[in-house]
Amino acid sequence: MLQELCESSAMPEITNGVCVEMSDEKIETGGLQRTIDWKQGLAIALGVPVLILPSIGYFASYVWAFAIIVWALSVFQGFMQNFAYGELATMFPKASGLPGYAQSVFGAKDGNKRYDRSKLLGGFSAWSYWFAWNPVLAIFSILIGSYLKGLVPAFAGVPDLVLYLASGAIVFLFLILVNYRGLSGGATLGYILAVLSLAPLIIISLAPFVTGHFELSNITGAWLPTDWSWDLDHILILLGLMAMAQWSACAWETAAIYGPEYKQPKSDVPKALFICGAICLLTFILVQAACTGTLGIEGILAEPFSPMLPLAQMTLGPIGGSLTILMLIAAMVLIIQTAFLGASRAMYSMAEEGNLPKFFGKMNAHGTPVNAMIVIALFNMGFIFLGTPAAILAASAIGYVCANGISLFAYVKAKFDSRFSGLERPFKAPGGWQYVAAFFGFFNLPLCLVGVIYLNSLEVGWTSTIVGFVVLALYIPLWLYSQNENPIKVEKETSVLGETVT
């Protein structure tokens, strides 16, 4: 805990039991490198709006045009949660986003105690967050293969699984090479892909308003299914949709996960977070509204996995279809990169905190956790064999709900725990925000968790739920191994920021 408090302050090194300023040389050698600003972090996180694409038809099938309201509420939820995460980011400037915050707050109080339950909880939150982002690679690699098969006639005879595996292997290898020399290379790719994906996404969504194809009656006349009632079953469905929605619409907190790599984390993190949130608010509402108002519910359900394709063909002409597919592929590579970087930093953070084996925390000379990236790529190659993106997404949403719930409770604890009262907070959420965080913490756990389990049972049976909990449970043996791998720290009382800690 002394090390964590020192790292959180302006004196991140311990010498003779006292926090001292770390030299520039030590900052530059070892550990994640501070090489990016808020614009580069934003560029990487801009893959998040693309997460709406596989869910446009899914949401419309359950709640029709009310899906627009669900997306708006989910982005609003993201703002409420990210006020808390923004403050945590400035309290713990070396922590890697949600995984780092929970581990810092719930870290072991007693360095002489090997199997600390509080540390286990913080590590489990980080593992849940890792599981939430990790399967994005497999989901969108499968979708890339599907779109390529429709775009290139030569691929028509290639078996689906072979094409999925090939597209996944090429994308993963490409991203490992791009990011091998540090995060700045990934941010540069993010700039390029953001233009290639987000700009066409917005253009295609705005086009029906200009061409006159958009009809407001398609929305006002179909707010909810005719058999919808506000009974327990439908409320559980809505909670499940909110859990699935936040997997997409709240995921812009990933801009905070690069906290240890921002040049000025105290100002860069809040800027990247809330600018990305504003972009998400625009795109999630606009895209769902454009599809619903132009195609109608029946039109969306006729193309549940790719409703943007007929939208582009209707408003932009025959060439619009091919351009949309190319845009979607660029967008999917961008979101794969966002997930790839986020998941690898989560594993690095857990290894650094002693919650995963040290293997996952090893980095190359450029400060890139290559071991974690390779393991994640291999893990997703295995996921691709399932060949069912919906089941993978449903399972990973369980992890995201757990990660958000625990992280919000970590914020509440950090506000009330005297051990953290002396930490600098350059960015502060509005007064009393711990109660708002507690509300959304309970909204995630247990309400959204119960909802997504119920929705999974209706949509894909119990398989995805079982897979989700099995993957989460795998953390226990990994954590136990890491506790045996790390030596017990010697207990020593030292004053840090006016507090006596161990």
Side-chain angles (χ1 to χ4, degrees):
M1 180 54 65
L2 172 58
Q3 181 66 47
E4 291 170 359
L5 289 178
C6 286
E7 290 180 352
S8 304
S9 69
M11 301 175 294
E13 187 178 34
I14 300 174
T15 301
N16 297 325
V18 179
C19 285
V20 298
E21 186 74 31
M22 184 179 288
S23 66
D24 292 339
E25 180 181 358
K26 289 187 178 181
I27 292 175
E28 293 173 359
T29 58
L32 295 173
Q33 305 296 303
R34 295 196 180 280
T35 59
I36 65 170
D37 58 22
W38 69 268
K39 295 184 291 295
Q40 291 170 306
L42 173 64
I44 298 172
L46 279 179
V48 170
V50 179
L51 289 173
I52 191 176
L53 293 177
S55 302
I56 297 172
Y58 183 87
F59 279 35
S61 67
Y62 277 102
V63 291
W64 290 12
F66 192 74
I68 301 169
I69 305 299
V70 173
W71 288 121
L73 290 174
S74 187
V75 177
F76 171 78
Q77 178 186 348
F79 274 102
M80 297 299 100
Q81 295 177 171
N82 282 326
F83 269 108
Y85 299 151
E87 183 171 339
L88 286 172
T90 59
M91 290 174 64
F92 305 102
K94 301 193 79 174
S96 295
L98 267 66
Y101 307 152
Q103 291 177 105
S104 296
V105 174
F106 291 115
K109 297 179 181 179
D110 183 358
N112 221 17
K113 187 176 181 181
R114 176 168 283 167
Y115 303 105
D116 188 274
R117 286 179 291 181
S118 181
K119 183 177 181 180
L120 173 63
L121 178 61
F124 179 75
S125 175
W127 179 260
S128 299
Y129 186 81
W130 171 82
F131 180 52
W133 270 111
N134 186 44
V136 170
L137 283 71
I139 292 170
F140 282 90
S141 292
I142 292 173
L143 291 179
I144 286 175
S146 298
Y147 279 105
L148 284 175
K149 195 163 190 175
L151 180 64
V152 182
F155 290 155
V158 179
D160 289 346
L161 182 58
V162 173
L163 193 57
Y164 299 160
L165 290 172
S167 62
I170 292 172
V171 171
F172 298 161
L173 180 60
F174 170 65
L175 291 179
I176 289 175
L177 293 176
V178 166
N179 292 281
Y180 183 83
R181 297 187 64 84
L183 195 57
S184 58
T188 301
L189 178 63
Y191 285 138
I192 298 171
L193 293 182
V195 174
L196 291 176
S197 59
L198 287 183
L201 183 68
I202 293 175
I203 291 172
I204 293 171
S205 299
L206 289 175
F209 295 92
V210 177
T211 61
H213 288 89
F214 178 85
E215 295 183 16
L216 186 60
S217 59
N218 285 335
I219 296 176
T220 58
W223 268 116
L224 284 166
T226 55
D227 61 347
W228 182 272
S229 61
W230 294 97
D231 55 15
L232 180 60
D233 287 344
H234 287 85
I235 290 175
L236 287 174
I237 289 174
L238 188 58
L239 287 172
L241 290 175
M242 287 297 295
M244 300 288 282
Q246 75 166 316
W247 184 88
S248 303
C250 296
W252 42 281
E253 38 57 34
T254 189
I257 201 170
Y258 313 113
E261 294 164 271
Y262 285 114
K263 296 175 183 177
Q264 301 292 335
K266 295 174 183 178
S267 59
D268 287 338
V269 172
K271 286 181 182 178
L273 271 176
F274 294 114
I275 292 176
C276 190
I279 293 172
C280 286
L281 181 63
L282 170 67
T283 54
F284 278 90
I285 294 175
L286 176 63
V287 170
Q288 189 75 40
C291 288
T292 306
T294 305
L295 302 176
I297 299 302
E298 292 184 0
I300 292 178
L301 297 183
E303 292 284 348
F305 300 112
S306 55
M308 295 293 286
L309 181 58
L311 180 64
Q313 292 172 333
M314 181 183 297
T315 58
L316 299 177
I319 196 173
S322 296
L323 291 177
T324 300
I325 293 177
L326 292 174
M327 177 272 294
L328 289 176
I329 292 174
M332 287 180 223
V333 174
L334 177 57
I335 193 58
I336 288 174
Q337 153 140 308
T338 302
F340 208 5
L341 295 177
S344 64
R345 265 72 184 165
M347 295 193 85
Y348 166 81
S349 175
M350 286 185 279
E352 281 290 285
E353 293 291 336
N355 287 317
L356 273 185
K358 294 178 181 178
F359 172 83
F360 299 106
K362 292 182 179 179
M363 295 181 294
N364 64 11
H366 305 287
T368 300
V370 174
N371 283 358
M373 295 179 77
I374 293 174
V375 169
I376 290 168
L378 294 176
F379 189 91
N380 277 273
M381 291 297 287
F383 258 138
I384 290 174
F385 278 95
L386 296 176
T388 53
I392 300 172
L393 190 153
S396 65
I398 295 175
Y400 194 64
V401 165
C402 293
N404 270 292
I406 297 173
S407 296
L408 290 168
F409 292 137
Y411 174 77
V412 175
K413 179 177 174 61
K415 296 289 282 187
F416 287 108
D417 195 325
S418 61
R419 292 181 302 138
F420 306 105
S421 60
L423 295 181
E424 185 181 1
R425 304 171 193 235
F427 172 82
K428 290 185 179 181
W433 210 255
Q434 61 268 32
Y435 303 108
V436 176
F439 170 81
F440 282 101
F442 285 114
F443 180 70
N444 278 280
L445 295 173
L447 296 181
C448 282
L449 179 61
V450 173
V452 74
I453 291 174
Y454 181 76
L455 187 61
N456 288 348
S457 69
L458 297 177
E459 186 69 21
V460 292
W462 290 99
T463 301
S464 62
T465 298
I466 293 173
V467 169
F469 281 110
V470 167
V471 173
L472 292 177
L474 285 176
Y475 176 67
I476 303 299
L478 287 172
W479 185 79
L480 293 175
Y481 176 86
S482 68
Q483 301 312 292
N484 289 318
E485 183 184 47
N486 294 300
I488 298 176
K489 298 178 182 179
V490 178
E491 185 173 355
K492 185 172 185 179
E493 275 197 355
T494 308
S495 178
V496 177
L497 299 175
E499 296 292 334
T500 299
V501 297
T502 300

